[in-house]
């Protein structure tokens, strides 16, 4: 028989792929991590990790154990929630990973209302570059731009949003208004830094016109929006940013429109918790507010 707690160590290393961050997450030293992994491998008579380039990757037997370990973890967490009475309480912490623009322009305006409705829920919004992964328990929930293909996750499509080209009146007065996508080759374009695009859904310019490249680049959509508003150039922005800034003008809206979707992703074993359900419902409400932008656009 093996020590059940060694599964917790195994999961931490499998998710972090390194001993040091797993040790920090668990609050134990790296030597103890290594010793307990060795004990688990001996108990199971199986090699669970391959070590290379400073990382630990799962062997075939390790991948088999991962599914069982996650099932055991989910059952343990569910038992704790149910026995402690937390399952139906609108209280506790929820960690939500979102893109910076979505968090700033869609969620932040509704945070006060959420807090008034659910004062017992402590909601953490994480807007780091790239999404935290619910399947690795880096976050409880995430609003992502693509549907995950793997993991013990519950996934729900929240809705679509649209993106268009935007510029400031000052820029257009200075260089002229482009009439077709090919004209953008003679314009200053603003966009993401290609090497740091954390989701392929953010790679817009090639959809506008093949071969377009940004001259001014930033990993931050908020910084891109400010550069466009200050007259530095033309860029692609979600309508929930561009349409709400009176200092920006949409360009070629009838010829260039990009559609993307928001996907709500959460750990499968916590989706029925009252606090998780409350946040999920609120997220749906916030995404539904984007429909008013579409109505306003179509009425013009």
């Amino acid at each position: 028989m093996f020590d059940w707690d060694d599964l917790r160590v195994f999961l931490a290393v499998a998710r972090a792929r390194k001993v040091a961050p797993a040790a920090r997450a668990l609050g134990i030293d790296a030597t103890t991590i290594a010793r307990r992994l060795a004990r688990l491998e001996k108990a199971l008579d199986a090699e669970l990790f391959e070590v290379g380039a400073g990382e630990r990757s799962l062997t075939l037997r390790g991948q088999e154990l991962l599914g069982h370990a996650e099932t055991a973890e989910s059952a343990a967490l569910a038992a704790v929630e149910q026995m402690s009475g937390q399952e139906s309480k609108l209280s506790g912490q929820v960690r939500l990973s979102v893109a910076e623009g979505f968090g700033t322009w869609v969620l932040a305006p509704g945070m006060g209302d959420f807090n008034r409705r659910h004062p017992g829920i402590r909601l953490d919004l994480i807007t780091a570059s790239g999404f935290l992964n619910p399947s690795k328990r880096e976050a409880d929930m995430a609003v992502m731009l693509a549907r995950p293909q793997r993991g013990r996750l519950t996934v729900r499509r929240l809705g679509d949003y649209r993106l268009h080209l935007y510029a400031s009146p000052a820029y257009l007065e200075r260089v002229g208004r482009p009439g077709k996508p090919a004209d953008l080759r003679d314009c200053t374009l603003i966009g993401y830094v290609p090497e740091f695009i954390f989701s392929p859904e953010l790679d817009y310019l090639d959809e506008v016109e093949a071969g377009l490249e940004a001259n001014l680049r930033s990993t931050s959509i908020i910084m891109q929006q400010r550069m466009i508003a200050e007259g530095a150039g033309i860029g692609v922005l979600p309508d929930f940013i561009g349409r709400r800034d009176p200092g920006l003008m949409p360009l070629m809206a009838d010829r260039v429109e990009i559609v993307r979707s928001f996907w709500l992703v959460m750990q499968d074993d916590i989706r029925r918790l009252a606090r998780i359900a409350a946040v999920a419902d609120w997220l749906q409400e916030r995404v539904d507010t984007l429909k008013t932008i579409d109505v306003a656009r179509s009425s013009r």
Side-chain angles (χ1 to χ4, degrees):
M1 291 294 294
F2 61 85
D3 188 329
W4 285 96
D5 198 49
D6 289 346
L7 285 180
R8 188 168 64 98
V9 173
F10 165 76
L11 279 173
V13 176
R15 288 165 175 164
R17 300 176 66 89
K18 293 184 179 181
V19 169
R24 288 194 296 270
L26 295 174
I28 55 181
D29 61 75
T31 302
T32 301
I33 291 277
R35 184 175 66 250
R36 291 175 65 174
L37 285 179
R39 182 174 67 184
L40 180 61
E41 289 184 327
K42 182 178 180 180
L44 297 176
D45 190 24
E47 186 177 349
L48 302 176
F49 293 97
E50 295 177 347
V51 182
E55 290 194 350
R56 296 187 177 229
S57 56
L58 290 171
T59 62
L60 182 59
R61 296 295 302 278
Q63 293 172 5
E64 293 173 352
L65 179 61
L66 180 63
H68 296 297
E70 288 183 332
T71 298
E73 178 187 48
S74 296
L77 290 172
V80 170
E81 292 282 356
Q82 185 174 20
M83 298 303 294
S84 63
Q86 295 299 311
E87 188 176 38
S88 60
K89 289 185 178 180
L90 286 168
S91 61
Q93 178 178 339
V94 177
R95 175 169 287 190
L96 172 63
S97 175
V98 299
E100 179 192 28
F102 179 76
T104 301
W105 291 84
V106 180
L107 298 189
M111 288 291 287
D113 176 62
F114 177 85
N115 185 61
R116 287 187 290 272
R117 289 157 59 182
H118 306 296
I121 298 177
R122 185 169 67 252
L123 182 58
D124 296 338
L125 292 182
I126 311 299
T127 59
S129 295
F131 295 105
L132 299 184
N133 193 336
S135 68
K136 295 182 179 180
R137 298 194 181 275
E138 297 171 334
D140 300 307
M141 313 169 74
V143 177
M144 308 181 80
L145 305 182
R147 183 186 183 105
Q149 300 302 311
R150 293 179 296 177
R152 298 171 58 83
L153 301 168
T154 294
V155 181
R156 188 172 93 201
R157 183 171 165 274
L158 292 173
D160 296 335
Y161 67 100
R162 288 166 172 75
L163 306 97
H164 289 90
L165 292 162
Y166 285 90
S168 72
Y171 178 82
L172 297 178
E173 183 177 349
R174 188 169 70 249
V175 303
R177 188 183 188 101
K180 57 184 183 298
D183 294 341
L184 295 171
R185 297 182 184 278
D186 299 321
C187 298
T188 299
L189 299 181
I190 294 168
Y192 285 98
V193 182
E195 301 93 315
F196 294 97
I197 293 179
F198 60 83
S199 176
E201 284 71 26
L202 297 176
D203 194 5
Y204 310 127
L205 287 179
D206 211 46
E207 291 185 40
V208 176
E209 176 76 3
L212 287 181
E213 294 184 359
N215 310 85
L216 302 175
R217 308 186 299 189
S218 173
T219 58
S220 166
I221 189 66
I222 304 303
M223 190 174 293
Q224 291 178 40
Q225 182 263 335
R226 288 312 309 156
M227 285 192 283
I228 298 169
E230 294 296 332
I234 297 172
V236 176
L237 292 174
D239 285 349
F240 60 77
I241 296 177
R243 296 280 176 175
R244 288 173 173 164
D245 187 337
L248 294 178
M249 297 181 62
L251 302 176
M252 295 180 272
D254 57 336
R255 303 185 65 171
V256 177
E257 180 175 79
I258 299 169
V259 180
R260 293 289 190 265
S261 298
F262 288 125
W263 297 88
L264 174 59
V265 182
M266 65 191 90
Q267 299 168 15
D268 190 58
D269 55 291
I270 66 171
R271 72 185 192 281
R272 293 188 178 90
L273 297 180
R275 64 179 182 273
I276 298 297
V279 174
D281 289 344
W282 175 70
L283 287 170
Q284 186 64 70
E285 290 176 11
R286 296 309 303 165
V287 172
D288 287 346
T289 65
L290 302 184
K291 296 176 182 177
T292 61
I293 298 175
D294 290 338
V295 171
R297 185 184 68 249
S298 63
S299 64
R300 292 184 179 181

